[in-house]
Amino acid sequence: MSWIALKMLTGNRGKYLGIILGIAFASLLIAQQASIFCGLMLQTSGQIRDIQGASIWVMDPNVQFSDDVKPLSENDLYRVRGVSGVSWAVRLYKGLTRSRLEDGNFQQTILLGLDDATLVGAPPKMIKGSVFDLRKPDAVIMDLEGYQLLWPGEEPLVGKRFEMNDHVAEIVGICKASRTFQTFPVVYTRYTQALDFVPPERKVLSFILAEPSEGLSVDEVCKRIQTQTGMRAMTGTQFEWVTMKYFMQKTGIPFNFGITVALGFIVGTAIAAQTFYLFTIENIKQYGALKAMGAGNWTLMGMILLQAMLVSLIGFGLGIGAATWFGKIATAPGSRLAFYMAPEVFVGTGLAVGVISILSSLLSMQRVMVVEPAVVFQG
Amino acid sequence: MNGDKSKPLISCHDVKKIYGSGNAEVHALRGVNLDVYPGEITMLVGPSGCGKTTLLSVIAGILKPTSGSVVALGSELTKLTSWRRTNFRRTNVGFVFQQFNLLPALTAAENAAVPLVIQGYTKRAALAESRKLLTQMGMGDRMSNLPGQLSGGQQQRVAIARALVHHPHLLVCDEPTSALDAKTGHTILEILRSIAIEGDRAVVIVTHDSRIFEFADTLARMDDGHIVSLEREHRGHEKEEALSA
């Protein structure tokens, strides 16, 4: 009966396409919005991912997310270094500063000060220049997107100068960095150099980056640091989740995206279910005839389920395809849109479409189950 | 097949059918007695609402009567579960509907193959059978056409092929000529007649069309849920008339 079911479905071109479009729309909206949400959440923690070379982040116990910097004292660095199991620990400055361009324009900038000696946390991917050029006086490395934001349309140029806190900074390299939530340019420099670029404060140390000794687990060393210093210590991945959870709990972002995803689900279900139901109603006499000819309820339900599965699969494919295409545009160089289609988004959208498909077919099944074969004799 | 033509294929005894309940009760059949013989055409005729379609549905195993007995091919239909009645229809009954009820997305050959597919035949085997039958019915050149591309008479031929493809013992036809012109209707009845005689099948037809009464071996006139007259024409063309209670 499968081929009959499929021919019945595809034979009604208008309804067939209508159901597919309904499901594709729902699938697109759910996948696209969920992926933008994931992209945004990834942006909130992008800088943590970009700081590589150390397994442990140490911070003030009251830090809630990566931009919530509560400065530490220099002594704290030495206390961490004194914890048994810590192989090494270095400073990291992270803060916001204002950059002044040649034309007098100002732009907020994220400033990262790396340990002078080791440059731990340096950008992982250089586009122009070298990380080691940071050792030059006034040297900074800027991320490509930040550069394009400050000097739109200009070819990235090493040697370009601007000012931070009335100090001249010279770009010695262009790097690739993760997009930031605030979309500000990211500027890397040495720790001591960073202190020149920001107004003086009593405590300036933002984070301590540390590495456990060989043979010791990161978690174990984190525990030791927390116990012995009272500071908070965690892995980079843990810090990413802490940051993302903060944004999820303290902002309306998940709720707003959740509403759109729910709307996509509801609208998709409504369109698909209604069209599918109408399609069934239109064919109710045919189903009655099949029943009269000896087709059982299970057979007819199987036919409806198969029809629903086919349109769901095609609709899901089209929707995910369109969302992926959108993502390709969103993540193209120069675009500042957030988009990350996590495997969970793919699976979740598939499950949502599955539910839409089941809900749609249930209505139709119920109608076909109750139809009397005698309906075929009603003129 | 029931080999003895003197024995009825279907026997209805004191069949009553009531729709609804209480004040809304409608007595569609009020104690109908009818025998349907193999190799013959039985026509149920009468005004609209007289119960002929209900009786056809009962005979075909679609409707369960409220009371009475319907013995078809040795089985008491009223005692069968819904599932068994479905099985009974699947193997023993062929249907021809007033509006043909062909699946519009299926070709003529595919439509005619549907009962075999329901019985579990593969598509290929079912199509082979239906093509053979359609060719016999002069539809050989129309097998790939969709119902929308066929005339009323051609659609009815496909519907008849669909009703016969699984070699049922009983053929039930609801107003098979009402959507057709007189000439085509006549041709269709000739086909049905040959099906009844050659295939030794019982053919039950509900109709308003008095032009086709001449094809009936048994003519049951119904009114208000009763069979008010029963004309039975034997092979020798002598007529016997009876009145039911």
Side-chain angles (χ1 to χ4, degrees):
Chain A
M1 296 296 281
S2 317
W3 63 271
I4 295 178
L6 297 182
K7 276 210 148 189
M8 277 173 81
L9 176 71
T10 53
N12 190 333
R13 207 57 66 86
K15 294 266 187 313
Y16 175 53
L17 292 178
I19 304 165
I20 287 177
L21 281 180
I23 291 172
F25 171 75
S27 180
L28 165 66
L29 211 56
I30 293 169
Q32 187 232 33
Q33 292 295 305
S35 297
I36 292 175
F37 172 74
C38 290
L40 278 176
M41 288 300 107
L42 278 185
Q43 285 189 355
T44 64
S45 58
Q47 285 190 310
I48 303 170
R49 272 191 307 283
D50 283 354
I51 302 286
Q52 292 182 2
S55 307
I56 299 171
W57 286 69
V58 186
M59 63 203 77
D60 184 276
N62 295 315
V63 167
Q64 299 182 78
F65 61 104
S66 63
D67 293 329
D68 178 32
V69 175
K70 295 189 165 63
L72 305 166
S73 70
E74 285 294 308
N75 278 344
D76 290 331
L77 173 66
Y78 301 123
R79 287 168 65 210
V80 171
R81 282 178 177 166
V83 173
S84 76
V86 172
S87 174
W88 52 260
V90 295
R91 301 171 182 87
L92 177 73
Y93 175 83
K94 184 177 186 301
L96 281 177
T97 185
R98 279 195 305 171
S99 299
R100 186 171 178 270
L101 310 182
E102 314 94 310
D103 60 2
N105 197 13
F106 285 94
Q107 170 68 51
Q108 286 275 20
T109 309
I110 297 167
L111 183 64
L112 293 169
L114 314 176
D115 179 61
D116 289 50
T118 60
L119 296 179
V120 167
K125 194 173 177 189
M126 294 297 294
I127 295 170
K128 277 189 178 177
S130 160
V131 169
F132 300 106
D133 291 337
L134 280 182
R135 299 193 197 284
K136 291 179 184 170
D138 304 327
V140 296
I141 292 172
M142 187 178 278
D143 76 305
L144 180 64
E145 289 191 8
Y147 190 100
Q148 288 166 341
L149 186 74
L150 294 181
W151 297 284
E154 284 188 29
E155 186 66 23
L157 202 64
V158 169
K160 190 101 176 165
R161 289 174 170 232
F162 61 101
E163 286 180 12
M164 285 186 284
N165 194 28
D166 293 332
H167 280 76
V168 171
E170 184 179 333
I171 295 175
V172 296
I174 305 289
C175 70
K176 181 106 184 80
S178 297
R179 286 173 192 170
T180 60
F181 192 61
Q182 301 99 325
T183 71
F184 299 149
V186 182
V187 172
Y188 291 84
T189 189
R190 282 173 289 113
Y191 185 81
T192 51
Q193 184 73 67
L195 301 188
D196 287 337
F197 290 142
V198 293
E201 285 182 82
R202 199 168 62 85
K203 293 199 282 186
V204 288
L205 179 58
S206 311
F207 297 100
I208 296 165
L209 301 175
E211 190 66 18
S213 302
E214 231 178 277
L216 283 173
S217 77
V218 177
D219 288 337
E220 171 60 26
V221 176
C222 283
K223 268 186 206 161
R224 286 185 192 179
I225 292 171
Q226 291 190 159
T227 314
Q228 290 180 36
T229 67
M231 287 185 279
R232 198 174 182 191
M234 62 185 91
T235 64
T237 311
Q238 287 167 340
F239 194 25
E240 279 182 53
W241 277 108
V242 166
T243 301
M244 286 193 281
K245 276 181 186 165
Y246 173 84
F247 279 91
M248 282 193 246
Q249 288 165 1
K250 305 283 182 179
T251 70
I253 298 171
F255 187 69
N256 290 333
F257 278 94
I259 288 173
T260 317
V261 168
L263 277 178
F265 181 81
I266 292 166
V267 173
T269 307
I271 296 175
Q274 191 192 23
T275 319
F276 196 62
Y277 184 68
L278 285 176
F279 165 76
T280 306
I281 293 293
E282 222 168 69
N283 286 295
I284 203 71
K285 274 213 159 187
Q286 323 298 349
Y287 284 114
L290 290 174
K291 265 192 172 184
M293 287 187 272
N297 274 335
W298 286 108
T299 305
L300 298 181
M301 286 203 300
M303 288 172 73
I304 289 172
L305 207 58
L306 180 69
Q307 291 168 342
M309 274 171 58
L310 178 75
V311 288
S312 298
L313 270 177
I314 297 174
F316 173 68
L318 288 175
I320 282 286
T324 310
W325 177 69
F326 173 86
K328 208 169 158 55
I329 294 170
T331 53
S335 164
R336 302 198 76 86
L337 291 170
F339 189 94
Y340 173 65
M341 192 182 284
E344 289 84 356
V345 170
F346 184 82
V347 174
T349 308
L351 288 175
V353 168
V355 171
I356 291 175
S357 151
I358 288 168
L359 288 177
S360 308
S361 49
L362 275 180
L363 274 175
S364 298
M365 279 184 198
Q366 185 269 343
R367 188 71 186 84
V368 169
M369 286 277 278
V370 298
V371 73
E372 283 292 333
V375 73
V376 290
F377 292 136
Q378 292 163 8
Chain B
M1 185 68 72
N2 188 346
D4 189 349
K5 290 181 185 176
S6 64
K7 279 190 179 171
L9 192 76
I10 294 164
S11 282
C12 300
H13 179 68
D14 195 23
V15 172
K16 292 178 183 166
K17 178 68 187 175
I18 303 170
Y19 293 110
S21 59
N23 291 337
E25 264 187 12
V26 175
H27 292 254
L29 297 176
R30 298 170 185 269
V32 170
N33 297 303
L34 178 71
D35 288 336
V36 175
Y37 292 90
E40 292 189 2
I41 291 180
T42 302
M43 283 191 195
L44 307 177
V45 302
S48 294
C50 68
K52 53 189 187 299
T53 300
T54 301
L55 181 57
L56 185 76
S57 300
V58 167
I59 288 171
I62 284 178
L63 277 183
K64 204 170 180 175
T66 310
S67 65
S69 157
V70 182
V71 178
L73 295 153
S75 298
E76 175 57 76
L77 285 188
T78 57
K79 292 203 171 108
L80 296 183
T81 60
S82 168
W83 182 73
R84 287 194 182 278
R85 273 190 289 125
T86 302
N87 279 350
F88 171 82
R89 292 198 303 271
R90 189 183 304 154
T91 39
N92 297 311
V93 188
F95 292 88
V96 178
F97 307 109
Q98 184 178 358
Q99 298 298 333
F100 320 128
N101 278 4
L102 299 174
L103 295 170
L106 268 52
T107 63
E110 287 167 344
N111 262 295
V114 166
L116 291 178
V117 178
I118 291 174
Q119 286 191 5
Y121 278 57
T122 62
K123 184 182 178 183
R124 182 182 288 190
L127 280 176
E129 287 293 314
S130 74
R131 286 194 182 113
K132 215 187 296 174
L133 193 56
L134 283 170
T135 307
Q136 284 172 17
M137 296 184 72
M139 291 286 290
D141 56 339
R142 293 289 188 173
M143 286 193 285
S144 303
N145 287 93
L146 295 171
Q149 298 165 329
L150 300 174
S151 70
Q154 288 169 331
Q155 286 191 54
Q156 197 60 301
R157 279 172 195 243
V158 176
I160 292 169
R162 181 179 65 180
L164 293 174
V165 74
H166 55 305
H167 308 293
H169 298 186
L170 170 67
L171 198 66
V172 295
C173 312
D174 180 38
E175 304 277 10
T177 56
S178 70
L180 307 174
D181 59 73
K183 191 180 167 200
T184 313
H186 212 267
T187 311
I188 291 297
L189 256 294
E190 275 170 357
I191 292 171
L192 289 174
R193 180 130 189 87
S194 66
I195 286 165
I197 295 167
E198 289 166 19
D200 205 11
R201 293 185 178 91
V203 179
V204 182
I205 299 174
V206 160
T207 185
H208 277 106
D209 189 355
S210 57
R211 295 170 302 182
I212 62 168
F213 288 0
E214 61 181 288
F215 289 93
D217 296 293
T218 301
L219 191 68
R221 293 182 192 277
M222 293 188 71
D223 194 17
D224 194 27
H226 296 286
I227 291 179
V228 290
S229 82
L230 194 67
E231 295 167 25
R232 185 159 154 71
E233 188 170 347
H234 293 293
R235 295 270 181 271
H237 295 285
E238 59 183 277
K239 277 193 177 178
E240 174 187 297
E241 190 161 317
L243 280 177
S244 73

